[in-house]
Amino acid sequence: MIKEFGVVLTLFVLVCGSAQAKEKAIWNFLVENDSISNTDRNYTNGGRIGYLSPTGRGERLARFLLGAKAGEKTRFGIALGQSIFTPQDIQATAPLPDQHPYAGWLYGEFSAHVERNNNIHDTLAIDLGVVGPSALGRQVQNNFHKLIGISGAKGWANQLHDEPGLIVTFERKWRARPFTSFHGVSADITPTAGFSAGNVLTQGKAGLTFRVGRNLVGNYGPPRVRPSLSGSGTYESVDGLSWYAFFGAEGRAVAHTIFLDGNTFRKSLSVNKRHLVADVQTGIALQFRDVQITYTYVWRTREFKTQTKRHEFGSVSISTKF
């Protein structure tokens, strides 16, 4: 954990920019992987590159989709992401009906955001993409394994078939005003709730994040790859160094997930999923002027009935304004 965070911290220092009063767009670069817990199974890798417009952009869209009112901060977002899933035994070539199916999910996302005057942040996101070989999960995983000199996964021939994917997600975050301020250090609690619907994922969720640090205003927590306890990806620039540590938990009621239930219109591998899943996460965020880096460690409960143990993975994001 310390080694990985040190590498990212070095990158963070190299790309730091100057804070300015001028409103800027935000770029988020995020990677999630379970190698930090010395595993290569289930949700094994996620990547996401996202753009959030300066405030005031997408106002008409936010008014139409989210009921934004005059004076409320609006943004629109665009992102490209990929998630990769594998069974526990990635050296087996035969189908493994009691383990997580192989699957890749490649998608583009468009989102509308409004930060309301009473510290409420609403997000409506539409993900469109493909599940299956066209999502390039096999190529990304095995080429990376080749790059670092380890054996690739041998069972990708058993992955889910190609299927167009859609997820519509609504999330609301309530950020309490910071409390217990002491020498510039304060704390806050941000509850969150939402739902997703589509052939890739249908679920409802609720959770909260506790944070303690400096300059908490204008920030709703660290960005993550869904499904997760995710922040908004927004933050305010600071003149010097700022930080916060966080702890969060989220429960999800999962009605459908293609990654466990299998393809919608074709026969494929599947497992009996658990309808109730929870994440617990902790980590730290550092910000210098316009640049923010976050590290998150996640414990996820078992997602299907034949899963032998909970899953753990790490998440690193670098965000910058320009």
Side-chain angles (χ1 to χ4, degrees), residues 48-261:
R48 190 175 185 275
I49 300 174
Y51 165 88
L52 283 171
S53 73
T55 57
R57 306 290 177 86
E59 184 175 355
R60 292 183 179 179
L61 186 66
R63 286 182 180 179
F64 176 72
L65 295 176
L66 295 169
K69 299 178 181 179
E72 296 180 333
K73 295 181 180 179
T74 62
R75 296 179 185 265
F76 73 86
I78 301 172
L80 177 67
Q82 184 194 51
S83 296
I84 299 174
F85 305 85
T86 66
Q88 181 172 341
D89 184 359
I90 62 172
Q91 296 306 306
T93 57
L96 301 170
D98 61 341
Q99 297 186 28
H100 200 301
Y102 280 94
W105 163 231
L106 182 66
Y107 60 92
E109 179 181 285
F110 184 82
S111 57
H113 306 257
V114 56
E115 185 174 352
R116 305 189 187 277
N117 297 327
N118 52 355
N119 284 327
I120 292 176
H121 189 286
D122 288 344
T123 299
L124 182 66
I126 299 175
D127 293 359
L128 289 170
V130 62
V131 174
S134 295
L136 305 177
R138 176 182 64 83
Q139 291 88 335
V140 170
Q141 184 183 47
N142 285 349
N143 284 335
F144 180 73
H145 280 203
K146 183 178 179 180
L147 179 66
I148 62 177
I150 64 175
S151 178
K154 295 182 170 59
W156 274 102
N158 305 306
Q159 69 176 301
L160 300 186
H161 306 293
D162 272 345
E163 180 174 330
L166 167 68
I167 311 175
V168 179
T169 299
F170 173 78
E171 295 175 342
R172 169 165 286 187
K173 301 171 183 65
W174 298 264
R175 187 185 61 214
R177 293 186 179 275
F179 57 90
T180 63
S181 180
F182 180 74
H183 291 290
V185 177
S186 56
D188 69 5
I189 295 176
T190 303
T192 182
F195 66 86
S196 299
N199 67 310
V200 175
L201 178 67
T202 299
Q203 66 170 22
K205 66 175 190 174
L208 60 83
T209 298
F210 171 78
R211 300 185 301 159
V212 57
R214 293 181 177 272
N215 298 313
L216 300 181
V217 176
N219 192 311
Y220 288 81
R224 290 282 315 287
V225 174
R226 296 188 189 95
S228 66
L229 182 58
S230 177
S232 63
T234 62
Y235 58 95
E236 294 184 0
S237 300
V238 297
D239 291 330
L241 180 66
S242 183
W243 62 273
Y244 67 84
F246 59 89
F247 173 85
E250 179 180 81
R252 297 190 289 274
V254 183
H256 170 74
T257 170
I258 194 172
F259 309 117
L260 299 177
D261 294 328

